[in-house]
Structure formats: C-alpha cells, structure tokens
Amino acid sequence: MRNSDLNIDPAHVASLVTEKTKAIVPVHLAGQPADLDPLLELGIPVVEDAAHAAESAYRGRKIGPLSAATCFSLYATKNIAAGEGGLISTNDPEVAEAIENLRFMRRGDGSLYDIVVPGYKANLSDVLAAIALCQLDKVERHREIRRRHVSLYDEAMAGLDGIDPLARDPRDTHALHLYAVRIDAERAGGTRDQFQRALTEENIGTSIHFLPVHRLTAYRERYPAQPPLPVAEKAGDEVLSLPLSPAHSNGDVRDAIEALGRVHARFSGS
C-alpha cells in the first residue's frame, strides 16, 4: 500500500509474487485508479475492485476493459446507484461464461434446464437494473456537483494543518467517490476518532473508509501469523471521509467545512 493514495504498491506486489500467486486484486480507493500497468506487466491475472471507480480512467483509458475482470458496485452510496448489486466487465469469453454460470445456477429454458456448476442466485433484479439505467442519465450532472464540492474541500484543507486529503494523480480521472482525509494527531491536535466524535456533536456525519482487514476478528483468528502491515494500520487510525454526494448542497459542504474548522481550532489551539 502506498502512503500517498493508499492504493496497492506495484513494486511491493512484484516482490511478493510466487508460483502460488493466482491473481492480483487492486482496489481503486475513493475513485483514484491504482497503478495498473506495472501490475499487468507481471503476467498474472488482475481482477480490479472498482466499487469506487465507475467514472475513473487510468492514464486516459476507462476503467473496465483493462484487466481480466473489473468489478463495479451499484450499492446505494455509489456514483451509479441501484440500491444494491453490481456488475463485472471482461473481454475474456471464458471469464464471462464462468461468471454467467456462477451468478445464476439454473441454465436453459422452461423445464429443459441444466446446472453446470454449483453456483449462486446473484442476478440483478429487473427493478434494480431499471433504477441503475435511470442513474446513468444523471452521471455527468452528479459529477459536476461532486467536482464543485471537492474544490470547496480542497481550498479549505489547505488551511488546516495536519488534515491532508488522499493524493489524486493528475494523469488519471478520479471518480470523486469519497473525500477522504488523513488526520495527523500530532499536527492537528487530536486523533481521527476525536475529530469524528467532535464533528458528530456538530451534526456532521462522517465515515471511516476503511479499517485494516487483518485486524478484524474473523481474519485475525483465521490468520494469526499475519505479519504487521504498518501503512494500512497507520491509515486505519487516521483516515476519515467527509460528506460528499450529489444529495448534498453547496451549503451542506460549507457547513461541514466550517464545523471542521471550529473543531480543528479547538484541538490545535490555533
């Protein structure tokens, strides 16, 4: 993981690859594309987690057709929302067929059907698909709202010592899905958790994206020999997502900025 944007570090991945490595799964965190070219050059299938990246482009190339498979989310909070579900893109017919077999076990028509692999009932319902199609018409309008809000946040963060947004690479198109900042307790005067509690008292809702997976109970118990992951662990203590969605007005974002400024002044003594 890279400190700047918290995306996968290709150089570190290359050092970890063995003959047992089956696939590489980069996450386009917050909408910033991971550095894909060095990963693809390793010759190992890449499966992208693009839950945050429906509008992203990597070095001028749209996220979706670049790797073995790319997984998008249509959850209610995503840039294109159906309420639940998602979709997978691939240019590989074999991968497409395997996904089709797994997403809906029963194949065929009428009473003459077959089950070719043990699969799931994971097909998107017609109602949710219709909702998603309607959202496609709003993508550009919603993006403009997000862009405006991100600009307001960027201007405000420049004056708050110890509160730094995650890096956005100018070579790429960022989906602007999350506005995540890192809170340096020493410089900002308070921890991320203290800032979150104080903002809640100011009626500003925030989120934590995300806690280190290896510290969560199921994974900690299943993999007790997991070595430390210092970059992820530090990020898990520092990252906070501020309100960002087309449902927010400019005034809502300014309210969040003003509240953050008050909290920062109180903690830092500035």
Side-chain angles (χ1 to χ4, degrees), residues 105-119:
M105 254 191 340
R106 179 169 162 168
R107 303 295 302 278
D109 299 312
S111 61
L112 299 177
Y113 66 87
D114 192 13
I115 294 177
V116 295
V117 295

Side-chain angles (χ1 to χ4, degrees), residues 56-201:
S56 298
Y58 172 71
R59 309 297 192 267
R61 293 169 286 167
K62 190 73 179 68
I63 293 296
L66 305 180
S67 61
T70 304
C71 306
F72 297 93
S73 173
L74 298 174
Y75 182 65
T77 60
K78 298 302 187 288
N79 290 25
I80 301 172
E84 193 54 273
L87 54 91
I88 301 173
S89 64
T90 180
N91 286 324
D92 187 328
E94 291 185 4
V95 172
E97 182 178 7
I99 292 169
E100 182 68 14
N101 288 337
L102 289 168
R103 68 183 281 273
F104 192 47
M105 254 191 340
R106 179 169 162 168
R107 303 295 302 278
D109 299 312
S111 61
L112 299 177
Y113 66 87
D114 192 13
I115 294 177
V116 295
V117 295
Y120 306 90
K121 184 70 166 64
N123 55 307
L124 192 65
S125 73
D126 291 344
V127 171
L128 295 185
I131 293 172
L133 287 172
C134 291
Q135 300 307 307
L136 290 176
D137 295 332
K138 304 175 184 178
V139 168
E140 290 303 319
R141 185 165 79 253
H142 286 177
R143 180 168 181 79
E144 182 53 40
I145 295 171
R146 290 176 182 274
R147 187 184 297 113
R148 189 163 65 244
H149 293 170
V150 165
S151 294
L152 290 172
Y153 277 131
D154 282 346
E155 183 179 358
M157 295 313 119
L160 299 178
D161 186 38
I163 302 181
D164 303 304
L166 297 187
R168 299 192 295 274
D169 194 319
R171 296 172 294 177
D172 303 322
T173 299
H174 197 292
L176 307 179
H177 176 60
L178 301 176
Y179 193 90
V181 298
R182 298 187 70 159
I183 297 178
D184 182 324
E186 184 173 341
R187 291 163 52 214
T191 66
R192 185 273 314 282
D193 292 346
Q194 289 173 323
F195 267 84
Q196 186 178 41
R197 285 193 293 269
L199 286 169
T200 299
E201 292 170 0

Side-chain angles (χ1 to χ4, degrees), residues 1-2 4-10 13 23-36 39 46-54 56 58 63 67 69-73 78 166-167 172 174-175 177-178 209-211 213:
M1 179 183 284
R2 299 187 303 198
S4 58
D5 59 14
L6 301 184
N7 275 342
I8 196 168
D9 183 343
V13 170
I24 301 169
V25 185
V27 179
H28 305 308
L29 186 66
Q32 168 58 52
D35 195 358
L36 291 174
L39 299 177
V46 172
V47 179
E48 301 169 56
D49 180 339
H52 294 175
S56 298
Y58 172 71
I63 293 296
S67 61
T70 304
C71 306
F72 297 93
S73 173
K78 298 302 187 288
L166 297 187
D172 303 322
H174 197 292
H177 176 60
L178 301 176
H209 296 100
F210 295 93
L211 297 175
V213 171

